[in-house]
Amino acid sequence: MYFLTGWPRRLLCPLRSEEEPFHIQPSSQRFYFGVLSETQLSIWFSRPSVLIVSYIESAKAAAQFGFYQKAEWKPDDSMIAVATAKGYILLFDVLGRGDDKSLYEPVYPKGSPRVRATPGYKEEQCAPALSLEMKKPVDLEAPITSLRSLQEDLLVCTADGYLHVLHWDGLGSNGRKAICLSTIPFSLDLQSARGGPSLDLEGVYIRCMEYCVTLDGFAVVLSDGRLGFITPLSNTITADQLQGVWAADVNDGTCVAVNNKYRLMAFGCASGSVLVYMIDTTTGSMQLSHKLELTPKHYPDIYNKTGPVKLICWSPDYSVVMVTWECGGLSLWSVFGAHLICTLGEDFAYRSDGTKKEPVKISSMSWGAEGYHLWVLPIKQERREQQQEEEAEQQQKQEEEEEMATPPQPSLQAGILQFHFIKSALTVNPCTSNQEQVLLHGEDRLYLTCGDPSQVHSAADTHPHTHLHPPDGSPPHQPPDPDSSLSQGLSTLLGHKHWHVVQIHSTYLESNWPIRFAAIDTAGQCMAVAGRRGFAHYSLFTRKWKLFGNITQEQNMTVTGGLAWWKDFVVVACYNYIDQQEQLRLYQRSSNLDNAFASVTKLHSDTLLLNVFRDMVIVFRADCSICLYSLERRNDSPHPTASVELLQEVSMSRYIPHPALVVSVTLTSVRTETGITLKAPQQACMAESIMLNLAGQLIMLQRDRSGPQVREKETPANNKKLLPFCPPVVLAQCVENVWTTCRSNRKKRHLLEALWLSCGEAGMKVWLPLFPRDHRKPHSFLSRRIMLPFHINIYPLAVLFEDALVLGATNETVLYDGLQGAAEPLEALFPYCTVERTSQIYLHHILRQLLVRNLGEQALMLAQSCASLPYFPHVMELMVHVVLEEEATSREPIPDPLLPTVAKFITEFPLFLQTIVHCARKTEYALWNYLFAAVGNPKDLFEECLMAQDLDTAASYLIILQSMEVPAVSRQHATLLFNTALEQGKWDLCRHMIRFLKAIGSGEMDTPPPTPTTQEPSSTGGFEFFRNRSISLSQSADTIAMGKFNLQKTFSMPSGPSSRGRDGECPENMYIDMMLWRHARHLLEQVRLRDLGCFSAQLGFELIGWLCRERNRVARVEDFVSALKRLHKDFLWPFPVIPGGSISSPLKNGRCRTVLSTRLLKSQSADSLLNSDMDTAPSRAASSNNTWLDGLGQRSKDMDAASSSHSNQHSPQTHDAFLSLLTSKGNQARTAFSNPPEDMPLSYSPSAFFLTPPVEEYSVGSATDLTETSSVVDGDWTMVDESSSTLSLSQAELEHISMELANKGPHKSQVQLRYLLHVFMEAGCLEWCVVIGLILRDANVIKQVIGFLDSPEVPQDTVQSVQSGLLAVDTWVSTDCLGYKPFLNLIQPQLQDLMDSAAEQVQPEAFQPSSQSSKLGGSEGPGGAAAPRPEDGRGATAPLGLALPSLEPAGGFPRPPSEDCPPEQTEELGEDEGAYDCTLS
């Protein structure tokens, strides 16, 4: 509404004086301010705020008349009356200079357009030069207590009990009347007034008096503290024609101020509160409307220590009132008592170090023009004495030092404080209430809540024409911002706390200050402002203002009834000075601002208010009539125009006593019971009723549908007559603002067809429609609408109907600790004030009110319509929380508690369980029993969560159970939840549960559970390594074998929950370990290797150590074929296929085909088909026959080239080929090639590198997911002959290439399988190694495992299991999966060895590993050809073996060897110093 902003400004009087100003009085338009000190009358101008003229009384006259006390302006600003202490009225003429000279004139820079354009309007931007002349004084022979101007009269109250009526002009004896107060009859109401005076007024006089135009009477405070209201019974004020009423039971009144717009009288009392009275229209008695007082809740220190009320000041638009007390301070309330600002608390009253400030005491205050400023005269008496002493000392010093005159000290100059305010556009232009934006305006800027135009949603539904590009080049919609998740709506209206501030054009402000009206369009993209003359508008699209091109047109109109936006037109109700008539004008936004492009309609009476509803304009006029006009857009001319047609006129003079009392007029589609059915939502589009806010009373006029209804089809379109309106009905009292919308939404009819009211201290009210459910016939006794009150914590400025939100603003303060000394600067006295955007949910209030009234069905319909809102869970929590706090903390027993009803209501929604637990966790423990008595036992709710698979909510219930139940119960439930979380793979929850179970076990029930000793999986832990990997494992074994690649030290087996530490042996850890082991066993039994890997990585489970223990138990493979199938399924690995083309291959020779397939398979597993002597490093001219394990001991720096390009190891020679299998009509596979890697040296590129596309059609067996960044082509299948630079592949070879490609699974799966292979190798689970070797089709792995099977440590049944498993696989391959046949053929020699060795039953001690295969430096790997080791010469190598110590996190935590490998192996490693032996424990 009104908000304080910035720091106050101090205006210093240029005339040095010992006198303090103590009274300020504004002229009627508030452009001039009369300021009184004891012998001086000064007149100040408002903008610029400068002193114009001062009249200083001579000492002789001051002795005769006494000091000045009060002042009053004549309504036309031509005279000013001053009351003096000895009972004189001094009248001054305020004269302007005749020579058009100004006191202050603006100086423009050279070439400024304003100088040339406005020769005749200079005086409006200047401070005029005035002079004061005293006329003959009038002696009233008694001290003057009050001075009020009334049209042509001046009313003066004196301390001898008389009321004097003086004429401003004829101040002779004939212009004077004196009425004795004791002759005026006073009674409690006008009906009992005829019984003669009922109040003894002997010796009583009027202490303070104000005239109220709309009540036509005087509000008075009598000298005995009584409050009264005096009404003249006829037009003239004479003694026998006055009648008084007084307020019962009040006798401590101090001052009064009247509100003409709302017909209220605010009386200040000695108790510190302000009583606001209204006059009862039927009896004429004074009725208390509401009180304005500080509450002990918000102002505990000061609420009863303020002293008597000193001054009350209504703002110029009568929407707020400012109050100050004897002890000082300022407080602002809205008209019906919503408290906005108070300077007696918080940062206004305390410094940042906590010390209390003295509140500023105020002798007089007045609002400036349009309420943008508050002029305040502070009392500085106490400080003056100190300052005078200090000054005297300073003066002496300075005089001694130099003989110059001292500069005037600002501390002793008379100072006026000017507080700055920004206010809501609703206060003067209430037509903005149907918008969903908040618009505030200060004297030179606008504050908007709407978002950036680049984020605005398509406004096509509200603006049917915005898709046309306006001629001014402003785009109708800019593309939505990519960063904004929601386009308009909530994100822009609530997304941040900052305002969009638009500076009003200075050229317009200079000649038309102050801004009187402001409006914003529905989309929040266009603003219009109107000042003293003309108007201007602004577009957020173009960021430009549009002003009248012709200044004469601007100055010849003044906006009277406000302005509004309709589509892309500004609708203005204005007065035309040339034609001297009222007009309704529409200006198109994109056209130039000129009357030539305006649609003008003449109006017959002054317009006071206007509003827009759909394509209609409603106008309220000074003759108390309402006119409805229809608007239609015309595009026939080059500039679009609008045609306006009068639809209907409604006279309201019978119901409206004074036109100034109408605060707002709104056309709505809201109706009472006549037409609310679910079948007729189209009536939401029609203008059904008029809402009038008449001095705070909301009056509704509905269309009269009682007569014969003519169907729309039967009436011709041109003479469709609108229905008349019924007599008005009063809907609500004390209404400040009304919001309604013209949109309709079938899903949210409750919210969109409701009427929203803001009612001051009473909060808000909503007039909600009640709909029958499921097309049932409504109950005859059930009302069709209901008025529900609810309280909110902010002052509402806009309502978002569908989003169930109220938007507002609030004052915030920032402390500034300035220079603290004897004379504190203003910055230290007052904090810096800012205005913050706020919003509040109101849905829970409405649902609760409906439940209280047993309208649960309506509440359910309303809640279901809003269930999709993002904060709906919060709404539910709030509802439970508020009811719980009220009922559980109530001292009296509650006869009909609401909490069970609320609980039952919430069970209708799926978020019932989480609502209850969130509410409980935000409520203190003492209230839990009351809550769970209503909603159910937490154990049952926990089990419900488990059944509903809502584990996170179940975990929250566990915390409640921990507090409410014994440890055994919470342990039992925690175990249940832990097992479920393990099964579902909720790893975060599992980690929390481990910590929770430890905390329960160690008895730390009340303390927060300690951080577990488990290392977080982000630092170590299996599969986490692949998430943050710094290497690529896309290469297959042959690429690793090339010696350019190694596994960096990136991961190690993390030490799990059973880490051997101080708590390794305690029972809780054993208990947790048992559960983890059980789950791992369960996963392995079900052949869920992928889940096992995730489980190990996420929970830091020691997989290798556990597998070592389980090697001969659960870590066996019962059925090789089903295990292989399950791995294919889990890792999305395609079964290998033999291409159909190979059967009808051009290579008739079978041997040739087999060779190719063998070579291709070798290339994938271990062999490179590219000659090594093309390699860049001569030291690497090695055969490519290294095993997978041989490549692991390398330094990490060798892999930069490999990992950076993710290419094959031969990227210097070959292009990185991506084969994309595009299946076209003929099912032809085409090959597409990627560009070579950027880091490839071009000198090594082959001169011609191509693949001939296949001619023959064939089907592709399995085009699988060729994902991730790695090169799709993982094997090296580019066969280059040294002698020839080109190479053509035959079709069969090409088919093999594409098949090999299709036979590989996703890169990620390959990485995971390789990792699992390493884990099983290290743990010695050879059967699993065989299965993974088969799926990867890695011959080296199979060779290696079969080599290990000869070891004496390998149990015989493992050997037999591998044999029988491989035989089973062979059988399955022959019948069901021929794709594996080439691979089995490749490893045939090893399989044969295995069968033979089994047949021979070799004795264990006969097995002696050869030095070549057991020593790292040996030239032969376990199953490959001889290979020189180039890295040996480069430094220490990591030992290779079943336990791979190189697989540790970079800079990570090396495991103690005893953890992962058995002691015997450790000893041997020590003896052999980096060698490895095939002995297995």
Side-chain angles (χ1 to χ4, degrees):
M1 173 68 90
Y2 270 65
F3 304 98
L4 202 51
T5 174
W7 274 306
R9 183 192 297 162
R10 180 184 269 138
L11 307 176
L12 295 176
C13 179
L15 302 173
R16 195 180 164 86
S17 164
E18 294 299 308
E19 297 175 2
E20 285 289 336
F22 57 81
H23 181 80
I24 185 165
Q25 187 68 30
S27 67
S28 59
Q29 293 294 310
R30 298 177 193 268
F31 289 153
Y32 304 108
F33 292 87
V35 177
L36 290 185
S37 56
E38 290 162 357
T39 61
Q40 192 171 325
L41 166 63
S42 307
I43 296 188
W44 287 70
F45 194 57
S46 57
R47 177 184 166 97
S49 303
V50 289
L51 177 66
I52 297 176
V53 62
S54 252
Y55 180 93
I56 301 177
E57 193 66 80
S58 65
K60 181 184 168 191
Q64 181 193 347
F65 301 137
F67 288 152
Y68 294 169
Q69 286 183 329
K70 292 178 171 54
E72 181 66 289
W73 288 79
K74 191 178 174 185
D76 64 359
D77 298 352
S78 64
M79 290 176 82
I80 190 166
V82 175
T84 66
K86 294 192 176 175
Y88 284 87
I89 297 281
L90 310 179
L91 286 146
F92 295 87
D93 275 327
V94 182
L95 305 169
R97 292 224 188 129
D99 53 0
D100 277 352
K101 281 277 185 190
S102 296
L103 191 63
Y104 293 94
E105 290 189 0
V107 177
Y108 293 107
K110 281 184 180 173
S112 166
R114 287 305 274 183
V115 186
R116 293 194 301 275
T118 56
Y121 302 102
K122 206 194 298 181
E123 72 277 2
E124 301 208 5
Q125 313 153 31
C126 314
L130 303 176
S131 60
L132 291 172
E133 278 185 16
M134 190 203 272
K135 296 175 77 171
K136 185 184 168 190
V138 180
D139 185 6
L140 296 180
E141 299 163 3
I144 295 166
T145 57
S146 184
L147 192 63
R148 284 291 170 259
S149 176
L150 172 65
Q151 286 115 25
E152 292 303 307
D153 294 324
L154 182 67
L155 275 77
V156 186
C157 304
T158 51
D160 55 2
Y162 276 86
L163 175 61
H164 298 269
V165 184
L166 313 176
H167 256 295
W168 275 106
D169 301 330
L171 278 166
S173 54
N174 60 346
R176 261 174 78 175
K177 274 185 281 190
I179 300 161
C180 183
L181 185 63
S182 56
T183 62
I184 300 175
F186 269 87
S187 55
L188 278 173
D189 58 45
L190 292 178
Q191 289 168 343
S192 60
R194 293 284 153 251
S198 55
L199 189 63
D200 180 22
L201 294 174
E202 277 305 313
V204 175
Y205 58 91
I206 294 174
R207 183 191 294 173
C208 185
M209 174 178 77
E210 280 225 0
Y211 176 67
C212 181
V213 182
T214 48
L215 283 172
D216 191 24
F218 305 94
V220 296
V221 177
L222 304 179
S223 56
D224 59 0
R226 290 178 187 267
L227 315 178
F229 180 70
I230 300 172
T231 318
L233 298 177
S234 69
N235 291 336
T236 56
I237 298 174
T238 50
D240 56 341
Q241 292 296 315
L242 292 176
Q243 169 69 48
V245 290
W246 90 89
D249 309 326
V250 184
N251 52 13
D252 65 341
T254 57
C255 56
V256 65
V258 297
N259 186 324
N260 286 313
K261 199 178 193 82
Y262 289 89
R263 300 176 99 179
L264 296 173
M265 300 169 286
F267 293 95
C269 300
S271 65
S273 57
V274 176
L275 307 177
V276 183
Y277 280 90
M278 48 188 267
I279 296 290
D280 186 343
T281 45
T282 49
T283 65
S285 61
M286 288 175 71
Q287 283 192 332
L288 182 66
S289 165
H290 56 277
K291 283 185 184 182
L292 310 177
E293 51 193 359
L294 298 180
T295 57
K297 180 182 172 188
H298 295 110
Y299 300 94
D301 306 338
I302 193 81
Y303 76 99
N304 52 3
K305 304 186 184 75
T306 55
V309 176
K310 181 157 191 191
L311 293 165
I312 304 172
C313 223
W314 290 99
S315 65
D317 55 26
Y318 296 111
S319 57
V320 293
V321 60
M322 187 65 87
V323 176
T324 182
W325 293 272
E326 290 290 349
C327 84
L330 291 166
S331 189
L332 187 70
W333 277 274
S334 76
V335 59
F336 288 111
H339 198 196
L340 300 170
I341 304 162
C342 179
T343 67
L344 289 177
E346 297 171 345
D347 288 350
F348 288 99
Y350 297 95
R351 297 183 185 86
S352 57
D353 57 3
T355 54
K356 205 168 187 325
K357 299 179 196 170
E358 260 319 295
V360 174
K361 296 188 179 175
I362 292 164
S363 59
S364 181
M365 62 181 177
S366 162
W367 287 95
E370 295 298 323
Y372 293 123
H373 298 120
L374 182 75
W375 296 57
V376 168
L377 297 179
I379 304 174
K380 295 189 285 189
Q381 286 301 333
E382 313 84 11
R383 218 181 290 157
R384 256 182 87 172
E385 294 157 15
Q386 300 171 10
Q387 286 172 356
Q388 277 172 343
E389 292 167 17
E390 288 168 20
E391 255 193 9
E393 290 170 20
Q394 282 180 350
Q395 252 176 331
Q396 281 173 359
K397 282 180 194 169
Q398 287 192 346
E399 280 168 10
E400 288 164 14
E401 288 170 15
E402 51 191 50
E403 310 254 66
M404 287 172 62
T406 57
Q409 295 292 321
S411 55
L412 251 184
Q413 281 179 282
I416 302 173
L417 291 184
Q418 215 182 43
F419 290 89
H420 306 275
F421 286 87
I422 58 177
K423 60 179 185 172
S424 164
L426 296 176
T427 53
V428 279
N429 197 27
C431 71
T432 53
S433 62
N434 53 13
Q435 257 76 43
E436 300 192 7
Q437 279 88 17
V438 177
L439 176 64
L440 306 179
H441 48 100
E443 65 167 343
D444 61 349
R445 65 197 64 197
L446 301 174
Y447 295 76
L448 333 168
T449 54
C450 51
D452 197 52
S454 59
Q455 299 179 330
V456 154
H457 62 88
S458 167
D461 49 344
T462 50
H463 288 236
H465 305 287
T466 40
H467 59 270
L468 301 167
H469 270 264
D472 64 353
S474 59
H477 320 298
Q478 296 185 3
D481 188 46
D483 299 331
S484 61
S485 48
L486 307 157
S487 45
Q488 168 80 349
L490 290 180
S491 68
T492 51
L493 290 168
L494 303 177
H496 49 78
K497 297 284 261 186
H498 302 293
W499 296 93
H500 197 113
V501 182
V502 175
Q503 198 76 29
I504 298 172
H505 201 291
S506 57
T507 309
Y508 181 75
L509 265 183
E510 273 171 8
S511 48
N512 297 294
W513 183 90
I515 296 300
R516 293 166 52 231
F517 300 101
I520 188 167
D521 73 339
T522 321
Q525 295 307 304
C526 302
M527 280 67 64
V529 294
R532 207 183 315 182
R533 300 281 173 98
F535 75 97
H537 63 83
Y538 177 83
S539 162
L540 274 180
F541 292 126
T542 58
R543 308 264 167 135
K544 283 182 184 166
W545 281 95
K546 272 202 179 163
L547 277 60
F548 274 97
N550 183 342
I551 193 83
T552 320
Q553 290 183 4
E554 178 188 277
Q555 296 298 323
N556 281 335
M557 67 175 276
T558 185
V559 177
T560 52
L563 31 89
W565 284 90
W566 170 72
K567 296 183 177 169
D568 51 348
F569 287 87
V570 191
V571 185
V572 184
C574 61
Y575 180 77
N576 184 339
Y577 287 102
I578 293 182
D579 301 342
Q580 297 196 342
Q581 67 176 14
E582 283 282 326
Q583 294 176 341
L584 183 69
R585 297 187 185 180
L586 280 86
Y587 292 86
Q588 217 259 341
R589 172 172 68 90
S590 51
S591 308
N592 287 342
L593 198 47
D594 195 296
N595 291 348
F597 305 128
S599 326
V600 181
T601 308
K602 292 180 183 174
L603 303 177
H604 303 299
S605 174
D606 292 2
T607 309
L608 299 182
L609 293 162
L610 103 162
N611 211 333
V612 175
F613 174 84
R614 294 187 183 268
D615 295 338
M616 294 169 84
V617 169
I618 181 168
V619 170
F620 178 74
R621 306 190 305 197
D623 59 2
C624 294
S625 63
I626 291 172
C627 297
L628 301 182
Y629 293 88
S630 71
L631 302 176
E632 192 185 343
R633 187 188 170 103
R634 292 248 175 97
N635 287 323
D636 41 14
S637 64
H639 292 279
T641 55
S643 65
V644 182
E645 189 185 337
L646 178 66
L647 294 177
Q648 200 169 1
E649 240 180 284
V650 185
S651 173
M652 295 290 293
S653 50
R654 289 170 56 194
Y655 311 109
I656 298 176
H658 195 288
L661 294 174
V662 178
V663 180
S664 70
V665 57
T666 316
L667 201 56
T668 75
S669 54
V670 171
R671 353 177 15 191
T672 50
E673 48 277 325
T674 43
I676 289 200
T677 59
L678 281 172
K679 290 175 187 152
Q682 77 278 358
Q683 286 173 345
C685 311
M686 296 164 64
E688 283 299 327
S689 54
I690 295 172
M691 299 283 173
L692 276 183
N693 184 350
L694 178 64
Q697 268 195 337
L698 189 64
I699 294 176
M700 177 181 184
L701 291 89
Q702 285 195 95
R703 292 207 183 274
D704 186 359
R705 295 185 177 272
S706 57
Q709 299 294 300
V710 184
R711 269 194 300 221
E712 289 189 14
K713 290 174 191 164
E714 295 167 11
T715 52
N718 50 6
N719 62 356
K720 200 191 289 183
K721 197 167 186 307
L722 287 167
L723 293 170
F725 286 92
C726 302
V729 184
V730 176
L731 291 184
Q733 305 278 0
C734 300
V735 176
E736 292 181 5
N737 281 314
V738 184
W739 291 273
T740 163
T741 180
C742 56
R743 293 199 310 278
S744 56
N745 181 341
R746 282 303 297 266
K747 291 182 181 147
K748 294 190 178 177
R749 291 190 61 193
H750 278 95
L751 295 177
L752 281 170
E753 294 180 26
L755 191 70
W756 305 89
L757 317 174
S758 141
C759 302
E761 67 171 348
M764 285 187 77
K765 291 181 182 172
V766 55
W767 201 36
L768 201 67
L770 303 178
F771 297 110
R773 197 158 189 183
D774 312 325
H775 299 279
R776 273 181 274 170
K777 193 170 184 295
H779 295 295
S780 54
F781 61 84
L782 194 68
S783 164
R784 305 297 186 275
R785 278 187 178 268
I786 187 167
M787 188 72 81
L788 303 174
F790 59 92
H791 270 278
I792 59 169
N793 304 327
I794 64 174
Y795 189 87
L797 297 174
V799 177
L800 301 184
F801 303 97
E802 283 108 328
D803 299 315
L805 275 177
V806 174
L807 301 185
T810 177
N811 255 118
E812 297 290 337
T813 49
V814 182
L815 267 181
Y816 169 76
D817 286 333
L819 315 159
Q820 289 176 2
E824 287 188 335
L826 281 177
E827 290 80 6
L829 278 174
F830 294 98
Y832 185 81
C833 295
T834 58
V835 184
E836 297 283 337
R837 296 168 54 172
T838 52
S839 60
Q840 200 172 332
I841 303 169
Y842 56 74
L843 196 56
H844 58 290
H845 294 297
I846 298 178
L847 295 175
R848 182 186 167 187
Q849 293 283 355
L850 288 170
L851 292 176
V852 167
R853 291 164 172 74
N854 286 327
L855 293 169
E857 199 173 68
Q858 298 291 328
L860 197 59
M861 286 165 68
L862 174 58
Q864 282 165 345
S865 72
C866 297
S868 58
L869 290 174
Y871 37 80
F872 184 71
H874 184 56
V875 170
M876 290 296 175
E877 277 176 50
L878 275 174
M879 184 159 72
V880 178
H881 186 77
V882 170
V883 176
L884 172 66
E885 290 272 328
E886 270 180 32
E887 294 187 359
T889 55
S890 164
R891 290 184 182 153
E892 307 294 320
I894 296 171
D896 188 15
L898 186 64
L899 191 60
T901 317
V902 170
K904 190 177 170 204
F905 173 76
I906 295 184
T907 52
E908 297 286 335
F909 296 92
L911 42 88
F912 161 70
L913 293 163
Q914 75 189 58
T915 303
I916 297 301
V917 75
H918 289 175
C919 180
R921 290 189 64 187
K922 292 170 189 169
T923 313
E924 54 187 303
Y925 174 68
L927 310 183
W928 283 6
N929 285 329
Y930 188 85
L931 172 65
F932 288 107
V935 300
N937 189 322
K939 284 192 278 193
D940 302 339
L941 299 176
F942 173 85
E943 281 157 21
E944 275 184 55
C945 291
L946 280 189
M947 283 161 61
Q949 303 288 313
D950 186 359
L951 304 190
D952 293 327
T953 308
S956 296
Y957 276 106
L958 204 53
I959 294 169
I960 285 167
L961 285 172
Q962 182 197 12
S963 306
M964 296 181 78
E965 303 282 348
V966 293
V969 174
S970 43
R971 175 192 288 261
Q972 176 192 348
H973 286 82
T975 308
L976 211 60
L977 179 59
F978 185 38
N979 286 332
T980 317
L982 280 174
E983 195 52 48
Q984 290 194 9
K986 296 276 181 71
W987 307 119
D988 274 343
L989 185 57
C990 291
R991 286 192 284 274
H992 289 309
M993 293 314 303
I994 290 172
R995 198 176 68 189
F996 185 79
L997 282 163
K998 283 186 182 178
I1000 290 181
S1002 47
E1004 298 169 9
M1005 291 299 296
D1006 301 323
T1007 58
T1011 312
T1013 54
T1014 314
Q1015 284 178 352
E1016 281 301 335
S1018 55
S1019 59
T1020 68
F1023 277 34
E1024 193 79 29
F1025 147 63
F1026 296 108
R1027 234 172 284 161
N1028 313 319
R1029 64 177 179 274
S1030 57
I1031 59 167
S1032 157
L1033 284 185
S1034 62
Q1035 291 77 0
S1036 56
D1038 58 304
T1039 62
I1040 298 169
M1042 274 319 293
K1044 276 194 183 174
F1045 182 91
N1046 80 333
L1047 271 172
Q1048 238 181 326
K1049 293 193 171 192
T1050 314
F1051 62 93
S1052 76
M1053 294 316 299
S1055 57
S1058 59
S1059 57
R1060 324 283 189 266
R1062 59 180 170 75
D1063 57 352
E1065 307 308 322
C1066 66
E1068 294 77 49
N1069 289 353
M1070 277 305 296
Y1071 180 66
I1072 292 164
D1073 282 354
M1074 292 295 290
M1075 284 196 279
L1076 293 173
W1077 293 342
R1078 188 170 63 208
H1079 184 65
R1081 200 173 298 128
H1082 171 64
L1083 291 178
L1084 206 51
E1085 279 168 355
Q1086 293 191 336
V1087 199
R1088 287 162 57 187
L1089 286 199
R1090 188 172 198 147
D1091 293 347
L1092 183 68
C1094 288
F1095 162 72
S1096 152
Q1098 295 282 352
L1099 297 187
F1101 180 69
E1102 279 183 27
L1103 195 51
I1104 295 178
W1106 178 76
L1107 282 172
C1108 283
R1109 288 195 297 277
E1110 297 287 338
R1111 185 188 302 147
N1112 296 321
R1113 291 198 290 273
V1114 76
R1116 302 286 301 273
V1117 183
E1118 301 296 328
D1119 180 352
F1120 274 59
V1121 175
S1122 61
L1124 197 57
K1125 286 179 179 172
R1126 180 69 194 241
L1127 288 187
H1128 273 289
K1129 183 181 169 201
D1130 275 5
F1131 288 92
L1132 305 174
W1133 201 270
F1135 287 100
V1137 287
I1138 292 181
S1142 64
I1143 295 155
S1144 60
S1145 167
L1147 292 161
K1148 297 287 183 281
N1149 184 340
R1151 184 193 62 76
C1152 190
R1153 197 170 67 243
T1154 320
V1155 166
L1156 177 67
S1157 90
T1158 311
R1159 297 189 76 190
L1160 276 165
L1161 277 159
K1162 278 186 179 174
S1163 87
Q1164 191 179 349
S1165 57
D1167 290 337
S1168 163
L1169 298 176
L1170 213 127
N1171 263 344
S1172 307
D1173 54 2
M1174 280 184 71
D1175 203 303
T1176 48
S1179 66
R1180 296 251 170 91
S1183 138
S1184 57
N1185 214 3
N1186 302 331
T1187 65
W1188 179 69
L1189 284 163
D1190 284 346
L1192 289 170
Q1194 266 211 66
R1195 280 277 176 84
S1196 59
K1197 63 182 165 194
D1198 300 333
M1199 47 151 293
D1200 293 344
S1203 65
S1204 62
S1205 64
H1206 287 277
S1207 68
N1208 349 17
Q1209 294 311 321
H1210 310 292
S1211 60
Q1213 300 91 28
T1214 62
H1215 287 239
D1216 218 3
F1218 280 78
L1219 273 166
S1220 57
L1221 299 169
L1222 306 173
T1223 318
S1224 62
K1225 258 189 204 164
N1227 226 6
Q1228 275 188 331
R1230 304 236 169 100
T1231 54
F1233 289 84
S1234 77
N1235 297 325
E1238 289 150 12
D1239 56 352
M1240 176 195 295
L1242 288 174
S1243 56
Y1244 287 100
S1245 301
S1247 54
F1249 177 76
F1250 62 90
L1251 289 173
T1252 50
V1255 183
E1256 207 173 69
E1257 292 187 3
Y1258 64 98
S1259 67
V1260 177
S1262 162
T1264 147
D1265 176 17
L1266 309 172
T1267 55
E1268 305 245 339
T1269 54
S1270 65
S1271 160
V1272 171
V1273 188
D1274 276 323
D1276 295 303
W1277 40 264
T1278 320
M1279 291 155 245
V1280 178
D1281 198 336
E1282 294 163 50
S1283 54
S1284 69
S1285 59
T1286 59
L1287 175 71
S1288 292
L1289 293 182
S1290 73
Q1291 181 171 349
E1293 292 165 320
L1294 193 79
E1295 285 175 9
H1296 271 290
I1297 290 165
S1298 57
M1299 280 310 106
E1300 284 309 321
L1301 228 124
N1303 291 345
K1304 296 193 73 169
H1307 167 67
K1308 189 175 178 183
S1309 297
Q1310 186 183 359
V1311 174
Q1312 291 171 343
L1313 283 166
R1314 290 266 172 217
Y1315 170 67
L1316 284 170
L1317 176 63
H1318 149 69
V1319 168
F1320 283 120
M1321 274 283 195
E1322 200 166 334
C1325 302
L1326 299 179
E1327 295 157 72
W1328 277 114
C1329 297
V1330 170
V1331 176
I1332 298 176
L1334 282 171
I1335 193 171
L1336 289 172
R1337 281 173 295 149
D1338 189 336
N1340 282 341
V1341 173
I1342 307 291
K1343 289 176 193 172
Q1344 211 175 354
V1345 171
I1346 289 172
F1348 294 155
L1349 286 177
D1350 297 342
S1351 158
E1353 270 81 6
V1354 177
Q1356 197 55 43
D1357 51 352
T1358 305
V1359 180
Q1360 287 169 355
S1361 169
V1362 171
Q1363 283 173 353
S1364 53
L1366 286 169
L1367 286 170
V1369 168
D1370 193 45
T1371 315
W1372 168 71
V1373 163
S1374 307
T1375 55
D1376 291 347
C1377 186
L1378 288 169
Y1380 269 113
K1381 206 68 182 164
F1383 179 67
L1384 290 180
N1385 291 342
L1386 182 69
I1387 58 170
Q1388 194 64 45
Q1390 285 76 29
L1391 299 184
Q1392 201 56 52
D1393 289 351
L1394 179 64
M1395 302 308 164
D1396 296 348
S1397 67
E1400 290 165 17
Q1401 290 284 320
V1402 179
Q1403 294 305 314
E1405 52 272 4
F1407 175 75
Q1408 276 299 330
S1410 68
S1411 63
Q1412 287 97 334
S1413 64
S1414 64
K1415 292 284 185 278
L1416 182 69
S1419 60
E1420 194 180 356
R1429 303 290 299 167
E1431 63 273 15
D1432 280 359
R1434 252 186 277 131
T1437 56
L1440 274 183
L1442 294 180
L1444 290 174
S1446 64
L1447 299 174
E1448 281 179 0
F1453 313 89
R1455 287 182 317 285
S1458 58
E1459 261 182 51
D1460 292 336
C1461 38
E1464 307 96 300
Q1465 190 178 334
T1466 316
E1467 286 159 27
E1468 284 166 25
L1469 281 171
E1471 287 162 19
D1472 288 338
E1473 290 197 14
Y1476 103 135
D1477 221 313
C1478 293
T1479 46
L1480 288 161
S1481 59

